């Protein structure tokens, strides 16, 4: 009998955690996909939104640790969600009150110590029209929302706050190293270069495994099934190795 495993999933800036629910159709029966809504988003939209990455990590820590039951678990995050997943894993490791995740999946994001590209726009500081144009070109906004610009404008304050959380993030090194393996996923047409992505190794005493997918920053939409199949293989291998 396969040991059950929980996979907590964090979306990119502007994304909805509920999008990960469709991944359950591709997940092995023993793996439960758990989308994580932060304060101010999705099922928690009535709560005050997190203003900094530190607040988001603290919020995620409370949500995730409340669901830990001693069974294996892993964390996935894409783009901003990858940094959130990493910082959450680091916080759990620091606190020592809960076991570290069995695996960390980071997708579409450079390692935390790598600074933003000098030519990259500070998107959250753009005016509304420029902001909407930028995030539209970047992709990742649902088609039904793009089709209704008036409705999209209502979401601009929330989207802008998420981009601010992501863009103002600064990595603060300390003595805490992760001890789990890390899977590093990236798009071949994204800004993430293999030689940069391989530097995720600096943040764990475990191993890293890299996987490229054809496409840009939001390759997870085009290759969702393949991404989950890779996670199935990784997590089933971990659970099979457990005593």
């Amino acid at each position: 009998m396969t040991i059950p495993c929980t996979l907590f999933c964090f979306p990119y800036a502007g994304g909805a955690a509920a999008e990960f629910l469709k991944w359950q159709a591709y997940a092995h029966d023993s793996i439960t996909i758990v989308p994580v809504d932060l304060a101010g988003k999705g099922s928690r939209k009535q709560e005050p939104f997190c203003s900094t990455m530190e607040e988001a990590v603290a919020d995620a820590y409370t949500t995730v640790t409340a669901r830990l039951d001693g069974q294996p678990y892993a964390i996935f995050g894409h783009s901003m969600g990858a940094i959130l997943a990493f910082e959450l894993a680091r916080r759990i490791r620091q606190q020592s009150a809960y076991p570290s995740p069995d695996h960390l999946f980071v997708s579409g994001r450079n390692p935390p110590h790598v600074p933003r590209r000098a030519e990259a726009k500070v998107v959250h500081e753009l005016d509304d029209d420029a902001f909407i144009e930028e995030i539209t070109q970047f992709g990742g906004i649902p088609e039904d929302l793009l089709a209704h610009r008036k409705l999209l404008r209502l979401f601009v304050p929330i989207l802008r706050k998420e981009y601010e959380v992501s863009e103002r993030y600064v990595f603060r090194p300390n003595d805490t190293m992760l001890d789990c393996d890390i899977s590093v996923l990236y798009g071949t047409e994204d800004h993430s270069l293999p030689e940069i992505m391989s530097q995720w190794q600096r943040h764990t005493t475990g191993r890293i495994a890299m996987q490229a997918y054809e496409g840009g920053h939001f390759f997870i939409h085009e290759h969702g099934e393949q991404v989950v199949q890779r996670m199935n293989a990784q997590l089933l291998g971990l659970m099979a190795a457990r005593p």
Side-chain angles (χ1 to χ4, degrees), residues 2-3 5 23-32 228 232 236 239:
T2 306
I3 300 173
C5 179
W23 282 9
Q24 190 63 63
Y26 310 130
H28 187 271
D29 290 344
S30 62
I31 299 172
T32 301
V228 178
N232 283 338
L236 289 173
M239 290 183 281

Side-chain angles (χ1 to χ4, degrees), residues 194-236:
E195 57 268 31
I196 298 297
M197 297 297 275
S198 66
Q199 293 180 35
W200 274 101
Q201 182 66 73
R202 296 188 186 186
H203 301 284
T204 184
T205 58
R207 299 169 298 176
I208 72 163
M210 296 173 55
Q211 179 65 51
Y213 295 87
E214 290 188 8
H217 188 65
F218 293 103
F219 66 88
I220 60 170
H221 294 319
E222 306 162 44
H223 302 289
E225 183 173 358
Q226 295 95 315
V227 168
V228 178
Q229 287 174 349
R230 180 177 180 83
M231 293 193 287
N232 283 338
Q234 186 67 58
L235 297 178
L236 289 173

